Amino acid sequence: MTNQITVKNRIDNFNKSITVSGDKSLSIRWVLFSSIAKGKSKAYNLLLSEDVLAAINAVKKLGAKVKFNKNYCTIIGNGPSGYKYRKNITINSENSGTLGRLIMGLLIDTPHKIKIIGDKSLSKRDFNRIAEPLKKFGADIKLTNKGLPLTIRGNESSLPINYLENKGSAQCKSSVIFAGLKTEGKTFIKAKKSRNHTELLCKYLKLPLKVNKKKNYDLIEVEKVKKIKPLNYKIPSDISSSAFFIVLTALSSNSKLLIKNVNINPSRIGIITILKKMGVNIQFKNKKNYKGELIADVSITSTKKLKAINCPPKLNSGAIDEFLTIFLVAAKASGVSYFKDIGELNQKESPRLKWGAKILNKMGIKTITTDNSIKIFGNPNLKINKKIVIKDYLKDHRVFMTSVIAASVFGGTWNIHDKDSIKTSFPTFLNIINDLKK
């Protein structure tokens, strides 16, 4: 069966309600927390993507027991120090930077060397950024050209550290938090603002972690944990997956969409703030707090006049996975949009800043890019009447889905390769797209 699709029909005039897949960040964190909890944890609406399944396979290799039932997944953990290590095991993180980096923190006390590998895309990403602080705990880590494959052997007498996280990487911050939970003494982290799912789960589980929020950074203090209670969790829908349909609706004609039960954690909704500044009509309905996370139904209606934006860099970390879709909105906005200090995009599954510019250029949109910024010259009357081919993008799921949205909004005939890439984060994406066409 071919691993590419052709999209040549725009989607217009829909008024529907949908539910997207469970949050990937929370799904992976549930797996990791449950693996060091004592007893049986359950998750409903767990995202069954390749990234999450890779996390499940990893904790199984470390001695946790996993069982899938019809409506939920169960993990039985053996406590914070309960991993059962054998010599010479290999953990395959596949395409998941979240798994690869976070699990390194959990291996800070392993007595045996463990190898971590990943796919071609993940192997190109920077793992030195997390190896450096973990080495200060006492871990022995050997990298391949700052990336994967790597080997890690922990230290059963690891020492607490002071750590400055200045990239806005929730993955690096979370990995150090996990290492701190396994280390005697107090670990101090000064972290640039980024996703705080790990901290919220620590708070809900009443773990020894304190957060002092400042204007531009957080001061985090973490100590060794003796026991973690089981974590029963209903995973809310993913805002990053919802983003594709938020943008599709905003750019379509005479359309309305309600996305149910979405995680609207303030550290994740940079896209909402940015799109509202550009004139998109988005509302939150039925807001509630669930185990520390804010959940709501997200309502979107078509937008006729879009404004360009000089995007404030303080919004970057909260929108880091959604910029490719935001660029599509800028393509149809009136004026020149400017996004700066976004070089972190090139540390993702593919060099996304470069791919964002490439997609826009193929669409006929002028851009000016540097290694850290992009200017997008919008065209409110943009319509595409040519063939566009998207391939060789390191199978980055967000490049694939962004291309499908662009084709569905602006027209043209798009031949988009590597459709299996969506299995890493959003296996039902094309099903929802097809449902909106009906």
Side-chain angles (χ1 to χ4, degrees):
M1 189 171 77
T2 181
N3 192 24
Q4 56 186 273
I5 65 168
T6 299
V7 183
K8 56 184 178 181
N9 295 317
R10 293 174 57 189
I11 300 176
D12 276 324
N13 303 314
F14 56 85
N15 184 349
K16 296 204 174 187
S17 173
I18 64 171
T19 300
V20 305
S21 301
D23 187 286
K24 181 158 73 87
S25 295
L26 284 174
S27 291
I28 293 175
R29 282 166 175 79
W30 174 82
V31 172
L32 297 179
F33 271 107
S34 298
S35 74
I36 58 171
K38 182 66 175 177
K40 183 188 293 186
S41 299
K42 285 184 181 181
Y44 296 84
N45 198 39
L46 185 71
L47 174 65
L48 296 180
S49 71
E50 288 180 346
D51 281 4
V52 180
L53 293 174
I56 287 172
N57 288 333
V59 300
K60 285 169 70 175
K61 283 195 171 185
L62 297 171
K65 295 180 180 178
V66 181
K67 183 177 180 182
F68 289 99
N69 293 280
K70 184 178 180 180
N71 298 316
Y72 60 89
C73 176
T74 299
I75 291 180
I76 301 175
N78 298 306
S81 301
Y83 282 163
K84 296 176 182 177
Y85 299 106
R86 292 185 294 105
K87 291 184 179 179
N88 301 318
I89 69 169
T90 297
I91 290 173
N92 189 348
S93 297
E94 298 194 18
N95 189 250
S96 178
T98 301
L99 170 61
R101 291 180 178 137
L102 266 61
I103 205 164
M104 288 172 68
L106 289 175
L107 300 178
I108 200 68
D109 57 349
T110 171
H112 303 307
K113 184 169 66 176
I114 291 176
K115 186 176 184 179
I116 299 177
I117 63 174
D119 67 7
K120 182 179 178 181
S121 171
L122 187 62
S123 298
K124 291 176 179 286
R125 295 173 68 179
D126 179 13
F127 275 74
N128 194 53
R129 57 171 55 188
I130 188 55
E132 288 303 314
L134 293 184
K135 285 178 181 178
K136 293 178 181 178
F137 279 99
D140 179 19
I141 303 172
K142 292 182 172 59
L143 302 155
T144 304
N145 298 322
K146 294 187 176 182
L148 302 181
L150 67 79
T151 59
I152 179 170
R153 182 172 61 201
N155 185 335
E156 293 178 273
S157 301
S158 55
L159 299 172
I161 68 168
N162 292 338
Y163 171 56
L164 173 64
E165 198 298 298
N166 57 9
K167 300 183 188 310
S169 169
Q171 293 175 357
C172 293
K173 174 181 65 175
S174 296
S175 190
V176 172
I177 288 173
F178 276 136
L181 289 171
K182 290 192 155 205
T183 300
E184 292 287 355
K186 291 184 179 181
T187 291
F188 294 95
I189 304 167
K190 181 179 179 180
K192 187 176 178 181
K193 296 285 187 181
S194 63
R195 296 180 183 184
N196 66 344
H197 301 305
T198 303
E199 296 96 303
L200 291 177
L201 282 170
C202 284
K203 183 179 179 181
Y204 172 72
L205 290 167
K206 298 181 180 177
L207 306 188
L209 179 138
K210 297 177 183 176
V211 180
N212 186 4
K213 295 184 178 182
K214 302 296 184 180
K215 183 177 180 181
N216 296 315
Y217 58 88
D218 292 334
L219 294 175
I220 302 169
E221 181 183 310
V222 57
E223 297 182 67
K224 188 170 185 177
V225 63
K226 293 181 173 60
K227 185 176 180 180
I228 300 176
K229 66 183 181 181
L231 176 58
N232 294 330
Y233 209 80
K234 183 178 180 181
I235 311 291
S237 294
D238 197 317
I239 185 67
S240 296
S241 296
S242 301
F244 297 102
F245 298 101
I246 292 171
V247 168
L248 173 64
T249 309
L251 297 179
S252 296
S253 300
N254 303 315
S255 296
K256 293 181 70 173
L257 189 68
L258 185 72
I259 311 175
K260 295 181 179 179
N261 204 47
V262 180
N263 180 4
I264 58 164
N265 180 308
S267 70
R268 292 283 300 279
I269 56 171
I271 183 172
I272 304 297
T273 305
I274 292 168
L275 294 188
K276 281 187 172 183
K277 287 179 178 290
M278 299 180 79
V280 178
N281 185 356
I282 305 173
Q283 295 180 323
F284 293 145
K285 299 181 177 181
N286 304 318
K287 284 206 287 188
K288 59 186 176 183
N289 188 299
Y290 177 71
K291 298 186 178 180
E293 295 283 354
L294 280 177
I295 313 295
D297 298 335
V298 182
S299 173
I300 316 100
T301 58
S302 300
T303 308
K304 291 183 179 179
K305 291 185 178 180
L306 293 163
K307 299 176 289 187
I309 186 173
N310 186 348
C311 186
K314 66 181 181 180
L315 299 177
N316 289 352
S317 66
I320 197 67
D321 280 337
E322 291 75 55
F323 270 112
L324 290 182
T325 57
I326 294 169
F327 293 168
L328 295 184
V329 180
K332 199 178 180 183
S334 179
V336 181
S337 294
Y338 182 40
F339 304 89
K340 61 184 177 182
D341 297 340
I342 54 173
E344 186 71 9
L345 279 178
N346 285 328
Q347 300 299 322
K348 294 293 183 177
E349 284 85 337
S350 70
R352 280 189 190 153
L353 179 52
K354 293 178 182 177
W355 263 103
K358 187 178 291 189
I359 292 170
L360 295 178
N361 296 158
K362 286 176 179 285
M363 291 164 48
I365 294 294
K366 178 184 174 183
T367 62
I368 299 176
T369 59
T370 70
D371 289 339
N372 204 30
S373 68
I374 185 169
K375 284 185 178 177
I376 300 171
F377 294 76
N379 176 4
N381 300 312
L382 177 64
K383 289 184 180 177
I384 299 172
N385 296 300
K386 62 180 179 178
K387 184 175 181 179
I388 294 176
V389 178
I390 305 293
K391 63 179 182 178
D392 300 329
Y393 54 88
L394 291 173
K395 298 182 179 180
D396 184 342
H397 52 127
R398 300 203 191 280
V399 171
F400 177 89
M401 290 186 280
T402 299
S403 300
V404 172
I405 297 303
S408 301
V409 167
F410 297 115
T413 300
W414 293 59
N415 180 236
I416 309 169
H417 290 232
D418 292 318
K419 72 176 181 181
D420 282 355
S421 62
I422 60 174
K423 291 180 180 178
T424 64
S425 70
F426 197 176
T428 60
F429 171 76
L430 290 174
N431 296 340
I432 298 176
I433 286 287
N434 291 330
D435 183 57
L436 292 177
K437 290 179 179 178
K438 294 176 182 177

